[in-house]
Amino acid sequence: GAILAYLGTPIVTWAAGKGIARGLTTTIVVLFFGLILTALFLVLIPLVQAEVMLAAKRLPELGAQATGAVSPWLQQQFGVTLALDFESLKTLVSENMVDARELSLRLLAGVRSGGMILVTVLVNLVLIPVVMFYLLRDWDMIGERVYALVPRDWLAKVRAIGGDIDSVLAEFLRGQLLVMLVLAAYYALALSLAGLDRAVAIGVLTGLLVFIPYVGFGLGLILGVIAALLQWSGWGGFVAVLAVYGIGQLLEGYVLIPYLVGDRIGLHPLAVIFALLAFGQLFGFAGVLLALPASAALLVGLRHLRAAYVES
């Protein structure tokens, strides 16, 4: 909720400067962010479900193709003969797929309703927009109350550092948004050129989720590979999809983030790569997620420290 409030603060502040009531703008921003997140889930869930269902239906066929390719080699090298009844397996899967899905949904519902998982999810879903609303509405007041606690001799320097950190984080968000848009366009275009079905949906989804390290790339790669396996029987399309995502990962890690994000926040491209590796090693997934904004904030502090040292 705090992160979303920080993202929406410039909009609310701009509207307040135009004479629009802060409460009204805050409500509109909260609803807007909610619609974006809801639309993302409405695209993501049916897409994943459709790919999984198609994969389950074609799994026996893909297994038969793989066995047909591997069986002669095993027979020639080791004298081992593979004989699997994929028709029976295909019939079994198709007959029990609906029952298995319904049973899994019932079990999942039973586990969630019987434990604290459902309560936690519901509380978070309610708290996120509430926290976001009040932080957005009272952002300036909260900031002034924090500054009121700072000793007067330090106030000017603390305000300067806080303003610099805010500017750097704003540049980071703009750079990250550019990375998302570029990668969404790249994946959609590259997968379309490869001839993949649902290329635009999978590509745009991958690009929009790259702000979550590993998750956006990993989910897009899985969806792309599954779609390739369902669409093509040979290796050409499969290799093309892997190449698209491999190039995309290199483009993101070594070109877009260092130059679109690193340059904006004043970090050298090597410092960006090192920060991602170091924070990931120290703090895991959360470290990778917060590496660049935290490094940018630290960089502001180091600049002021260096300036104080040089002037002393």
Side-chain angles (χ1 to χ4, degrees):
I3 293 173
L4 293 176
Y6 181 77
L7 293 176
T9 296
I11 303 174
V12 176
T13 302
W14 174 83
K18 298 294 183 180
I20 304 174
R22 196 173 182 92
L24 176 61
T25 311
T26 298
T27 303
I28 294 174
V29 170
V30 171
L31 292 176
F32 176 70
F33 275 87
L35 288 175
I36 292 178
L37 295 176
T38 302
L40 185 62
F41 278 104
L42 290 178
V43 171
L44 175 62
I45 293 175
L47 180 61
V48 173
Q49 184 180 13
E51 295 293 335
V52 171
M53 294 296 291
L54 288 174
K57 289 180 180 179
R58 285 205 57 192
L59 189 60
E61 181 183 344
L62 295 174
Q65 293 175 0
T67 303
V70 174
S71 182
W73 182 82
L74 290 176
Q75 176 66 34
Q76 181 181 0
Q77 298 293 329
F78 304 102
V80 177
T81 303
L82 288 179
L84 300 176
D85 188 1
F86 285 100
E87 287 300 323
S88 299
L89 180 60
K90 185 176 182 179
T91 303
L92 180 65
V93 170
S94 61
E95 288 179 351
N96 294 279
M97 187 182 302
V98 177
D99 294 336
R101 183 175 59 178
E102 292 179 354
L103 177 61
S104 63
L105 290 176
R106 286 199 297 269
L107 289 174
L108 185 61
V111 170
R112 288 185 174 179
S113 62
M116 292 298 294
I117 298 177
L118 181 63
V119 175
T120 303
V121 171
L122 291 177
V123 168
N124 283 327
L125 288 177
V126 172
L127 277 178
I128 288 173
V130 171
V131 170
M132 180 183 175
F133 176 84
Y134 284 109
L135 285 178
L136 264 177
R137 193 191 67 176
D138 303 329
W139 191 274
D140 292 341
M141 181 189 70
I142 294 172
E144 290 303 320
R145 289 189 176 183
V146 171
Y147 283 131
L149 299 175
V150 178
R152 299 297 90 181
D153 292 342
W154 300 353
L155 182 60
K157 178 59 68 176
V158 170
R159 279 188 177 275
I161 294 175
D164 289 346
I165 292 176
D166 181 60
S167 300
V168 167
L169 291 180
E171 289 297 326
F172 165 77
L173 292 175
R174 294 190 190 101
Q176 191 65 52
L177 180 61
L178 283 176
V179 171
M180 291 164 58
L181 294 176
V182 170
L183 286 177
Y186 162 76
Y187 282 117
L189 179 60
L191 292 175
S192 298
L193 293 176
L196 187 70
D197 292 339
R198 299 189 181 91
V200 174
I202 295 175
V204 170
L205 185 66
T206 304
L208 294 181
L209 291 179
V210 294
F211 74 93
I212 308 176
Y214 308 124
V215 173
F217 172 78
L219 180 60
L221 178 62
I222 291 172
L223 291 175
V225 168
I226 292 176
L229 290 174
L230 296 177
Q231 183 176 344
W232 297 301
S233 57
W235 287 95
F238 179 73
V239 172
V241 171
L242 290 180
V244 166
Y245 277 92
I247 295 172
Q249 186 70 357
L250 294 175
L251 182 67
E252 176 189 355
Y254 294 99
V255 178
L256 295 179
I257 287 182
Y259 291 101
L260 289 182
V261 178
D263 282 353
R264 284 174 172 267
I265 62 180
L267 285 175
H268 191 276
L270 288 178
V272 171
I273 297 171
F274 174 77
L276 290 172
L277 294 174
F279 276 79
Q281 181 68 27
L282 292 173
F283 307 109
F285 175 79
V288 176
L289 189 63
L290 299 175
L292 294 185
S295 298
L298 289 173
L299 182 64
V300 170
L302 289 174
R303 285 172 180 165
H304 281 269
L305 183 62
R306 180 183 180 276
Y309 168 72
V310 170
E311 293 172 0
S312 67

